[in-house]
Amino acid sequence: GIQVEQSPPDLILQEGANSTLRCNFSDSVNNLQWFHQNPWGQLINLFYIPSGTKQNGRLSATTVATERYSLLYISSSQTTDSGVYFCAVYYGRRFGAGTRLTVKP
Amino acid sequence: DTAVSQTPKYLVTQMGNDKSIKCEQNLGHDTMYWYKQDSKKFLKIMFSYNNKELIINETVPNRFSPKSPDKAHLNLHINSLELGDSAVYFCASSTRDEQYFGPGTRLTVT
């Protein structure tokens, strides 16, 4: 089945820093989502982005489907950005293992 | 109004018991899911229903039985609970492309 790999597994930032999270997938996909799981466990839908680029405030995402990767950019990070970021493909059938982000004040 | 809700939020029970988790969505979506998140935060799909019909069943022990009385509800019944069933169980619903998750149910089997 399709493999989904996220990197880095852990990331520690100082508040105000920028970061890039990566999601690689082993097969072509027509469905890709990014989620944020906050420290209280809630899973929040960030982006549906099978291709192209989208922006929402300080967050943006880019998927290059032909090269089988997606990137999530977080600019001017805040402590509330802490948590685990997941990418998921194939209509939620496969999730990556996540990137755990810690933003320090 | 909560879009996807689950009850209970916490469930502590002993091995061998039978328990159910309920899920409801008020988003008008046709598709609903159950996921299991283990202690390492890995999310794995268990089941998916579309308009009350089972469409995904991912090698889940048959002690787990989903039931969808209507397209707004998807309940999960677990028989003969085992220690390894301890996890957080998430319900979700979706449009064709995007999923929306419930708050999760933390199940602890002792």
Side-chain angles (χ1 to χ4, degrees), chain A residues 31 33 37 45 92-93, chain B residues 35 37 56 96-99:
Chain A
N31 176 283
Q33 299 171 85
Q37 187 168 35
N45 188 325
R93 290 193 188 198
Chain B
Y35 288 84
Q37 186 172 44
I56 297 173
R96 183 180 183 277
D97 298 316
E98 299 186 67
Q99 291 177 302

Side-chain angles (χ1 to χ4, degrees), chain B residues 11-74:
Chain B
L11 188 52
V12 181
T13 188
Q14 292 184 327
M15 285 175 54
N17 285 348
D18 302 340
K19 291 293 179 185
S20 293
I21 307 171
K22 295 186 176 182
C23 178
E24 177 180 2
Q25 56 98 0
N26 63 6
L27 297 167
H29 294 161
D30 288 339
T31 307
M32 296 185 72
Y33 310 78
W34 278 108
Y35 288 84
K36 179 180 181 180
Q37 186 172 44
D38 62 23
S39 57
K40 296 184 178 178
K41 297 288 192 182
F42 189 71
L43 272 160
K44 183 173 170 58
I45 193 168
M46 300 173 70
F47 301 103
S48 177
Y49 270 72
N50 182 271
N51 270 323
K52 303 193 296 176
E53 184 177 338
L54 180 67
I55 57 172
I56 297 173
N57 182 343
E58 289 272 334
T59 60
V60 176
N62 57 16
R63 298 182 296 103
F64 291 79
S65 54
K67 286 186 172 50
S68 181
D70 55 60
K71 76 173 193 177
H73 295 84
L74 180 61

Side-chain angles (χ1 to χ4, degrees), chain A residues 74-105:
Chain A
I74 304 174
S75 64
S76 304
S77 58
Q78 300 175 358
T79 55
T80 52
D81 295 331
S82 295
V84 183
Y85 289 81
F86 293 100
C87 65
V89 301
Y90 198 24
Y91 303 96
R93 290 193 188 198
R94 291 290 180 269
F95 273 71
T99 292
R100 181 180 297 275
L101 174 65
T102 303
V103 181
K104 296 190 171 183

Side-chain angles (χ1 to χ4, degrees), chain A residues 2-105:
Chain A
I2 190 169
Q3 302 298 314
V4 181
E5 294 183 356
Q6 291 187 242
S7 59
D10 293 280
L11 186 58
I12 300 174
L13 299 175
Q14 208 64 35
E15 198 168 27
N18 302 328
S19 63
T20 301
L21 283 58
R22 187 175 181 103
C23 173
N24 291 335
F25 37 94
S26 61
D27 204 351
S28 59
V29 299
N30 58 4
N31 176 283
L32 188 141
Q33 299 171 85
W34 282 97
F35 295 91
H36 174 218
Q37 187 168 35
N38 64 24
W40 296 270
Q42 186 180 4
L43 277 158
I44 299 161
N45 188 325
L46 296 177
F47 293 103
Y48 163 68
I49 186 160
S51 64
T53 297
K54 287 186 178 179
Q55 181 157 5
N56 184 1
R58 296 181 296 102
L59 273 60
S60 64
T62 295
T63 296
V64 184
T66 53
E67 297 188 20
R68 300 180 185 174
Y69 72 88
S70 182
L71 302 174
L72 179 68
Y73 305 96
I74 304 174
S75 64
S76 304
S77 58
Q78 300 175 358
T79 55
T80 52
D81 295 331
S82 295
V84 183
Y85 289 81
F86 293 100
C87 65
V89 301
Y90 198 24
Y91 303 96
R93 290 193 188 198
R94 291 290 180 269
F95 273 71
T99 292
R100 181 180 297 275
L101 174 65
T102 303
V103 181
K104 296 190 171 183

